[in-house]
Amino acid sequence: MSSSNHNTFSLRSVLEKEKLNGSNFLEWYRNLRIVLRQEKRDYVLEKVLPEKYRSNAPQSEKNAWDKHSNDVVDVTCLMLATMNSDLQKQYENVASPIEMITSLKAMFREQARTERYQMVKSLVECKLPKDAPVSPHVIKMMGYIDNLGKLDCPISQELATTSYCSHCRRATISSS
C-alpha cells in the first residue's frame, strides 16, 4: 500500500469510528471536511456539478466533468456510510453532497447555535491571569476566533486585532 493510500485510509477511519448520529454533527462535519481536503475532493461540498458537457466539447472539459461527477458519487457514498442507519435512510436518495449538507445544517442548526454561543462566551470571558505569559493567552484567543469562523460566525480582523491588543496592553501595563 502506498504512503498516500495509507494516509487516506487513516483519515477515513476517523469518520468511520464515530458515525453521524444526530448529536455530533459539527464534529462529524469538521472531520468530513478534513478527510475531503486531504483527498482533494472538498470542492464537491461547495461547487455544484455543472450541466453535462456537449458531445463536441474538448476532452479536457469532458475529463473535468467526469472527475467531478465521480467525486460527487464517492463523497455522497462516504457521507452515507458514515451516518447511523436512521440518517442513511433519510438521505439515501439525495444525489448531491451540497444538498445533503444543506439539509443537515438546517436539521442541526440548534446544535450549531449552542456551540457558537459557548465559543463566544469563552472568548468574552477569556481573561489573562495576573503575571501569566501573554503568548499562550493570545494563542487561546486566536483559537476561539478561528473556531467561530468555522462555525459560520466570523469575527472581523479589526475586532480580533483589537481584542488581542487590549489583552496584551493590559498585560503590559500590569507587568510594569
Side-chain angles (χ1 to χ4, degrees), residues 124-138:
V124 170
E125 292 175 348
C126 187
K127 303 287 185 218
L128 179 67
K130 187 175 182 176
D131 298 328
V134 173
S135 294
H137 179 71
V138 170

Side-chain angles (χ1 to χ4, degrees), residues 18-25 28 82-84 87 108 111:
E18 188 157 346
K19 292 187 174 202
L20 176 61
N21 61 31
S23 66
N24 63 341
F25 171 70
W28 174 85
T82 60
M83 294 177 177
N84 70 20
L87 289 169
F108 299 115
Q111 181 183 346

Side-chain angles (χ1 to χ4, degrees), residues 6-159:
H6 179 68
N7 290 341
T8 301
F9 176 78
S10 295
L11 287 179
R12 281 189 175 215
S13 68
V14 169
L15 283 172
E16 293 162 358
K17 281 181 188 172
E18 188 157 346
K19 292 187 174 202
L20 176 61
N21 61 31
S23 66
N24 63 341
F25 171 70
L26 295 171
E27 224 174 285
W28 174 85
Y29 185 45
R30 187 177 309 117
N31 286 332
L32 177 68
R33 288 190 325 257
I34 291 167
V35 169
L36 295 179
R37 184 179 324 134
Q38 192 273 332
E39 294 181 0
K40 296 174 183 39
R41 292 178 173 181
D42 54 333
Y43 71 96
V44 300
L45 295 176
E46 298 168 358
K47 187 176 177 186
V48 176
L49 181 66
E51 293 292 320
K52 190 161 183 175
Y53 52 81
R54 299 175 319 278
S55 59
N56 63 347
Q59 190 60 42
S60 61
E61 186 179 322
K62 292 177 182 179
N63 292 344
W65 190 91
D66 288 343
K67 180 188 181 324
H68 192 150
S69 176
N70 290 333
D71 286 348
V72 164
V73 170
D74 290 347
V75 170
T76 300
C77 291
L78 174 65
M79 291 170 69
L80 287 168
T82 60
M83 294 177 177
N84 70 20
S85 60
D86 291 336
L87 289 169
Q88 284 176 342
K89 290 173 191 168
Q90 186 173 346
Y91 288 98
E92 67 186 339
N93 294 318
V94 176
S96 157
I98 294 173
E99 291 175 50
M100 207 179 295
I101 288 297
T102 301
S103 176
L104 288 166
K105 281 181 176 179
M107 183 186 299
F108 299 115
R109 184 173 291 133
E110 189 60 36
Q111 181 183 346
R113 186 176 298 129
T114 301
E115 190 167 338
R116 280 192 303 271
Y117 169 78
Q118 291 298 330
M119 195 63 55
V120 168
K121 184 178 177 200
S122 295
L123 177 63
V124 170
E125 292 175 348
C126 187
K127 303 287 185 218
L128 179 67
K130 187 175 182 176
D131 298 328
V134 173
S135 294
H137 179 71
V138 170
I139 291 169
K140 184 178 185 180
M141 290 181 65
M142 288 171 52
Y144 290 145
I145 291 169
D146 289 343
N147 285 338
L148 284 168
K150 293 173 186 168
L151 293 169
D152 295 327
C153 186
I155 303 288
S156 73
Q157 187 62 43
E158 181 180 352
L159 180 57

